[in-house]
Amino acid sequence: MASRSLITNTFKSVKTSKGKDKNKPTNDGHPSTSKTDVKDELEILKHFDVTLEFGPCSGITRMERWERADKHGLNPPVIVKEILDKHSDDDEYTECLWKDYPL
């Protein structure tokens, strides 16, 4: 009777890493930021703008809206505050989605 060979005998297993860690610190000690990270952050902020649960967003900054929602116990997402604190000088982050449409 002929011995049956296993497929693992023919093809040796090769282990590879699944991917690189996006938040791995760079040489300066800060996490690297890529275009996808920026896009993800802006998507989170846009979602915050259109969520009516936290009140109207026209005429105030995102941080003012976040603080107002927090003050009234509406539990706004902490990640929104973290993103706003990280980019406090950039109008693209601080102003709401409707900034280009005057009241």
Side-chain angles (χ1 to χ4, degrees):
M1 177 174 212
S3 68
R4 294 172 32 181
S5 70
L6 301 173
I7 194 167
T8 53
N9 294 339
T10 305
F11 299 102
K12 301 295 180 194
S13 66
V14 178
K15 293 185 179 181
T16 60
S17 63
K18 295 262 182 180
K20 296 180 181 178
D21 185 11
K22 285 196 285 188
N23 294 325
K24 184 176 179 182
T26 56
N27 292 337
D28 59 358
H30 297 291
S32 61
T33 53
S34 66
K35 289 182 181 181
T36 57
D37 292 339
V38 170
K39 186 178 178 182
D40 291 342
E41 287 179 342
L42 290 174
E43 283 299 316
I44 290 169
L45 293 176
K46 287 178 184 178
H47 185 266
F48 176 68
D49 287 345
V50 298
T51 304
L52 298 176
E53 174 184 346
F54 306 116
C57 63
S58 297
I60 60 173
T61 64
R62 286 178 170 143
M63 183 59 84
E64 291 170 337
R65 183 170 183 246
W66 191 94
E67 290 171 346
R68 181 187 63 200
D70 187 51
K71 176 181 150 185
H72 291 292
L74 299 175
N75 300 323
V78 176
I79 190 155
V80 171
K81 184 168 179 20
E82 292 170 355
I83 294 169
L84 294 173
D85 285 339
K86 187 166 70 170
H87 301 283
S88 61
D89 296 335
D90 189 348
D91 283 348
E92 188 174 8
Y93 287 87
T94 59
E95 297 298 322
C96 82
L97 180 64
W98 313 112
K99 70 177 184 261
D100 297 329
Y101 303 97
L103 295 173

